[in-house]
Structures are given as C-alpha cells and as structure tokens.
Amino acid sequence: MLKKIARILWKDILTEFRTREMFSAMFVFALLMVVVFNFAFENAPRDSILQAAPGLLWVAFTFAGILGLNRSNAIERENMSMQALMLAPIDRGAVYLGKMLANFLFMWISELLIIPIFAVLYNYSFTAHFWPFLLILVLGTLGFSAVGTIFSGIAVNTKMRDVMLPILFLPVVVPVVIGAVETSIRVLAGEPLRGMTDWLKILVVFDVIFITVSFLVFEYVLEE
Amino acid sequence: MPDSTPHLELFDIRKNFGLVAALNGVRCSIAHRDVVALFGRNGAGKTTLLKILALLMRPTDGHFQLEGVDARRDAADTRRHIGFISHATYLYSDLTALENLKFFGALYDVPHLEERIAQSLRDVQLWDRRHERVRGFSRGMQQRLSLARTFLHDPSLLLLDEPYTGLDPIASGMLDRLIERFHREGRTVVLTTHNLDLRLPVVNHAVVLEKGLVACDERRSRFASKDFEELFKEHVKERAE
C-alpha cells in the first residue's frame, strides 16, 4: 500500500511542479494577508502585535489552504480522473493518504516560505523558537490537510463545490486552528513546550483521529 | 472455473436517488464471451447500472457476482478485473502520455509494465507522442490514450458507457477492433448505448432497460442493427403504453 500512496503523492508533486497553480495561489494569498495586516498594525503597541500576529498568521494559512484544497480538487475533477483512482484495485484509504500527504506538503512548503517574510515584517525572531514552532506548524497543517482532504472529497460530488468546501470544512477544523494559534502565541512568547501539553495533546489527538477515521470512510465518501 | 458459471450475475439491483428510483430490481445473467449491448432511452438507468458494476456506486439494494463471487466481498480485487470506459478520458492533463500509463499501470500492478506500455501506445498510434503532455493532445488522441489506459491491465470484463459518443472515426474504428479482439480472447463486454444503429457484429446479447427494469433480455448468435431497433421499439413502446 505504501508504494501506491507514494505513486499518488508523486503524481500530485509532478503535476504541481509543472503547473505551480496550487502553491502559487496559496503563497500569494498568504503573503497578501500578512502584508496588508502589517499596515493595519503599524501604530499598534508591540504587546498587541505579539498577541495578534500568530492568530493572523494562522488565518492566512487557513484561507490560503482552502484555495489550495480547491485547486487539488480541480486536478481530480478535470477529465474525472478521481473516478480513475476509484476504479483502481487499491484500498481507497490509500487514495486518501496520497492526496492528504500532497495537500500537507504543498501547504507546509508555502508556510515555510511565508514565515521569514512574517518575521521581517512583524519584527519577530524565530531563531530561539524555531523547532517548537516547526512542530506546531507540522501538527496544525497535518490536521488541516487531514480534514480538508476528506471534506474536499465530499464537496467534489456537490454542485456548489467551491462554496461547499469552506462551509462544511471550517467548523470542523476550528479546534486545530485554535490549538495552533494558542500554542503559537506561547511558543513565540518564549514559553517551553511542556507548558502547553494540553493544547499539543489536542492537536495530536485531532490529527490521529481524523487521519484514521478519514482513511476508513474515504471509500464511502467517494462512492455515489 | 466451469464455463457454466455466468461471468456476471445481477441479483435484484435497486438504486434510489432520494425519492427517485433509477433501478427497480435489475436481474440479469451474462455469460463468458458475451458482448452485451445495453439499450434504453435517456434516464432508463443504463449509466447507473454500469457505475454499480464498476464499483463506482453502491446499490441501494441487491448485489452482483463476478465469476460466482460477490463483487463487493473483495472490491479491490474485483476492480483488478474490470476495465471501464466512459465519455470522460480519466487522464491527467499535465502528465505526459507515458507518465499517465506508468501511473495507472503501477496502481494496477501490471507485470512487465514497460513492455505493456510500449505495446499499448503503439496499438493506439501514440508511441511517437509519448513524451508530450496530454493537455496538448487533440480530443481524438486523448480518447485513444484513454483506450490504452483501459486495456493496460488486461481486464476480463470491459464496461463501456456510451463509448462511441464524441469519438472520431479513427478512435471509433480502433474501439471496434479492440472489442472484437476482446471477444476473440474470450472476454466479456457490456456496453451501453442509445444508438440503435450500432454496427458491431460481435454483439451476441441485447438487454433493453426501461424505467429501471430489464424489459428485454435476448441472446442471438448475431444481431443486425435493425434487430436492435425492433427490440427497442417493441419493448420500450409496450411499457410506455
């Protein structure tokens, strides 16, 4: 099964490498948000910026991620190639994992490119907190991709798919976003990870539950 | 497997979409080497039935057996034996012809994949264009590549949903020859069509679907295209009255 997952992942990487549609949409949108809010916070006190900026960062990642998920859907809708994956003699959970890992990877890379720009604009230093923040970035993005991939599978069968995805998906992914924002604020304020184990547990449990459940039910989601 | 076992047997298959019943209990037995033409007017349930047989859709009730085994018992293995063609090409536009076939061949665990791909691309006359992206292909070329994709894993059951719709004459002729080859090799073909002028000499089993039920199920050594028209008019008209 791992080979099949890797094949699906590789196919998405190759497609994205050639079109750059998913990555560029996510990166430009997130960049725009970070830049625009920088002007809004220009005269705000430093403490307020430190409190609000991680939330802003995750809002940018969330909406940029939705753009990415819509693009990921579009690849499988064109020529109805998702049906070709459904026809293949593989566990449909493998299709889910392949797509989920691709969504995670593209989103995570665009986040990594936004972080230095964010650090410069908001005068943050990530050097002291880089590894804890990277862990939060991985956990948050994984949860986002886990939920986003299953919900984009649901939305793809609806007529108003581009509208349906955020409507269905955002209420479910809220715990991940809140968890990621809470931990990001504390990490960037210099708190050690052991001081926020409750939030980290929530992120880890959410990721594990959603990946497992989605893996098991993806077959039913895809079949009409 | 004894030849007396039907290749495909459908038991009371029903499918509802909300309050609308698309299939009302389809029963049918399809033998090995059958080339089945499944007729019916628009909305008769032909595509729904084919999607259920391809395991793309779950029936509301009923089941079907492939080689005497419930098709859903090991769905992934069942899919290995099925080839499905519809009006969509099921190809990735930003991959090359070769990459598309490599990708699908790997998903189906096709043995000797490189040779199979080379043969398939030569069969559909796309070997010289193998390194080009599908997006740059004409509609006819995409359809030919789609045929190569379908036959790559050597399926024993071929399901075709309105396969001639939108095909250019070259692709249409290619499909005819592939179906005939399939029949000669002892495999089974089920194709849906509302084209009563079907000129496929290997069709030996005609099924007329009307309002989600089998209205006519007839086997002959050979059907002429006027036979299809007669069967269709007789059975669809009777029910309409």
Side-chain angles (χ1 to χ4, degrees):
Chain A
M1 186 193 275
L2 286 177
K3 273 187 182 174
K4 306 287 165 67
I5 294 169
R7 281 281 173 184
I8 293 166
L9 174 63
W10 176 243
K11 180 264 297 174
D12 276 7
I13 291 172
L14 200 57
T15 304
E16 183 57 26
F17 180 74
R18 287 188 181 151
T19 63
R20 295 184 180 87
E21 286 180 20
M22 191 172 165
F23 173 77
S24 55
M26 285 194 292
F27 178 74
V28 170
F29 183 83
L31 179 68
L32 200 64
M33 278 195 83
V34 167
V35 170
V36 168
F37 275 93
N38 181 51
F39 283 101
F41 286 137
E42 206 170 22
N43 298 319
R46 179 76 188 146
D47 282 354
S48 307
I49 296 173
L50 288 176
Q51 279 291 312
L56 153 74
L57 194 61
W58 278 100
V59 168
F61 290 163
T62 302
F63 286 99
I66 289 173
L67 281 183
L69 289 172
N70 275 331
R71 172 59 201 152
S72 171
N73 265 341
I75 294 170
E76 300 299 345
R77 276 205 312 272
E78 191 180 11
N79 300 334
M80 294 170 75
S81 31
M82 181 53 97
Q83 286 207 349
L85 292 181
M86 289 170 67
L87 287 164
I90 54 172
D91 192 317
R92 285 167 180 168
V95 177
Y96 167 77
L97 288 179
K99 295 294 299 175
M100 190 271 289
L101 287 173
N103 290 336
F104 166 78
L105 189 68
F106 301 140
M107 193 173 162
W108 192 64
I109 291 172
S110 53
E111 287 170 357
L112 286 180
L113 291 177
I114 287 292
I115 298 290
I117 299 166
F118 174 83
V120 170
L121 290 175
Y122 292 80
N123 199 19
Y124 259 106
S125 171
F126 282 87
T127 44
H129 330 290
F130 182 73
W131 294 110
F133 189 70
L134 197 67
L135 174 71
I136 292 161
L137 213 57
V138 168
L139 290 176
T141 310
L142 197 59
F144 185 94
S145 309
V147 185
T149 307
I150 188 98
F151 276 88
S152 56
I154 294 170
V156 82
N157 288 327
T158 63
K159 279 182 185 166
M160 297 167 67
R161 53 185 75 88
D162 292 341
V163 179
M164 288 305 285
L165 177 62
I167 291 172
L168 293 170
F169 162 66
L170 284 175
V172 181
V173 84
V174 158
V176 171
V177 178
I178 293 173
V181 170
E182 286 285 347
T183 45
S184 298
I185 290 170
R186 286 165 194 186
V187 161
L188 294 176
E191 283 185 38
L193 278 176
R194 62 178 175 274
M196 57 194 89
T197 48
D198 286 348
W199 283 112
L200 286 174
K201 277 182 196 165
I202 288 174
L203 284 175
V204 170
V205 168
F206 189 96
D207 289 0
V208 170
I209 288 176
F210 255 92
I211 291 172
T212 309
V213 171
S214 303
F215 175 81
L216 295 173
V217 303
F218 200 59
E219 173 162 14
Y220 301 93
V221 166
L222 289 182
E223 283 191 12
E224 292 174 49
Chain B
M1 189 65 60
D3 271 343
S4 57
T5 309
H7 195 171
L8 192 63
E9 196 157 21
L10 286 61
F11 298 94
D12 209 20
I13 291 183
R14 295 168 190 274
K15 180 68 183 179
N16 298 336
F17 294 103
L19 296 174
V20 179
L23 297 174
N24 285 310
V26 174
R27 293 169 195 201
C28 188
S29 183
I30 294 166
H32 289 87
R33 293 177 61 88
D34 271 7
V35 178
V36 185
L38 184 61
F39 290 95
R41 54 180 152 194
N42 292 336
K46 305 184 296 290
T47 297
T48 303
L49 183 60
L50 229 60
K51 280 187 171 179
I52 287 171
L53 297 181
L55 302 175
L56 289 172
M57 192 182 269
R58 246 166 230 277
T60 309
D61 203 5
H63 68 286
F64 70 99
Q65 293 182 343
L66 190 70
E67 303 276 15
V69 178
D70 192 304
R72 285 203 167 266
R73 201 171 69 183
D74 186 353
D77 187 58
T78 302
R79 290 197 292 268
R80 193 178 297 282
H81 303 286
I82 296 174
F84 185 77
I85 293 177
S86 81
H87 58 277
T89 58
Y90 295 155
L91 297 168
Y92 289 100
S93 300
D94 293 302
L95 301 186
T96 65
L98 192 61
E99 286 163 351
N100 264 286
L101 294 191
K102 274 187 178 172
F103 173 65
F104 287 111
L107 292 187
Y108 281 86
D109 291 320
V110 174
H112 313 294
L113 184 57
E114 299 289 332
E115 292 117 85
R116 281 287 302 170
I117 288 174
Q119 186 58 50
S120 300
L121 284 172
R122 286 195 179 100
D123 284 347
V124 295
Q125 296 165 20
L126 286 172
W127 175 251
D128 294 339
R129 313 285 298 264
R130 65 190 181 280
H131 294 303
E132 291 179 29
R133 286 192 210 178
V134 169
R135 192 173 293 287
F137 282 8
S138 69
R139 175 80 188 150
M141 287 162 71
Q142 289 193 23
Q143 284 160 338
R144 274 147 54 196
L145 184 61
S146 177
L147 292 180
R149 183 197 60 78
T150 306
F151 290 93
L152 189 66
H153 65 282
D154 216 11
S156 65
L157 172 66
L158 187 60
L159 305 171
L160 306 105
D161 185 19
E162 302 284 358
Y164 294 95
T165 306
L167 284 194
D168 65 20
I170 298 172
S172 192
M174 234 169 230
L175 180 61
D176 283 350
R177 287 192 293 279
L178 285 167
I179 292 174
E180 282 166 15
R181 193 182 84 194
F182 230 65
H183 176 64
R184 278 200 308 277
E185 290 170 354
R187 300 165 208 240
T188 307
V189 180
V190 181
L191 66 96
T192 70
T193 181
H194 55 249
N195 176 18
L196 298 175
D197 193 26
L198 184 69
R199 293 168 197 276
L200 200 58
V202 287
V203 171
N204 55 10
H205 188 167
V207 174
V208 179
L209 212 57
E210 172 68 354
K211 292 179 180 169
L213 282 167
V214 173
C216 163
D217 184 349
E218 199 163 313
R219 271 197 186 82
R220 289 184 200 173
S221 58
R222 196 178 175 90
F223 285 91
S225 57
K226 68 177 174 53
D227 297 334
F228 296 131
E229 200 170 333
E230 280 167 15
L231 283 175
F232 183 83
K233 279 183 180 165
E234 181 185 343
H235 293 281
V236 171
K237 194 179 164 191
E238 270 176 16
R239 292 205 165 239
E241 284 165 355

